[in-house]
Amino acid sequence: MEYPWHLYLLGSIYVIAGIMHFIVPKIYLRIMPRYLPNHKLLVYLSGLAEIILGLGLCFPETKNISIIGIILMLTVFLLVHFYMLKGKKEGAGIPKWILLLRIPIQFALMYWAYSYFGI
């Protein structure tokens, strides 16, 4: 079965996003909630998860598991998005309207991944 090109696009987005965790970890360290331990380790682990899940979308044997993993990962990432709305320091200087916009985008990304489940 041939996958639609946009499934590969979605996988590529996650792989690139994951790689960015290793190239510019400071960006992600700035937005880590203070209540979480080992920020650097969590940034690298989340980057690795994004890479693995993005690649997993590209193979029939792992696609559905990757979709579930992406939805769960994005659900956990919502905690960071809500944390960033807490105040100026937590928001890392990002305008509030962008921080608010990220929440529905997160749900749209979950839906995008879910739309490939079972195909």
Side-chain angles (χ1 to χ4, degrees), residues 92-111:
I94 299 169
K96 192 146 194 144
W97 70 270
I98 292 176
L99 296 175
L100 288 168
L101 184 62
R102 290 171 64 195
I103 294 168
I105 289 172
Q106 202 78 350
F107 285 104
L109 288 169
M110 288 180 202
Y111 178 76

Side-chain angles (χ1 to χ4, degrees), residues 30-31 84 87-99:
R30 284 179 51 209
I31 64 172
M84 291 180 75
K88 259 190 178 174
K89 182 175 177 159
E90 293 85 358
I94 299 169
K96 192 146 194 144
W97 70 270
I98 292 176
L99 296 175

Side-chain angles (χ1 to χ4, degrees), residues 14-28 40-52:
Y14 285 105
V15 170
I16 291 166
I19 290 169
M20 295 306 292
H21 283 70
F22 295 93
I23 294 174
V24 284
K26 286 184 180 182
I27 292 172
Y28 303 94
K40 199 170 203 172
L41 176 63
L42 291 175
V43 166
Y44 290 144
L45 288 175
S46 61
L48 183 62
E50 286 185 285
I51 293 167
I52 291 169

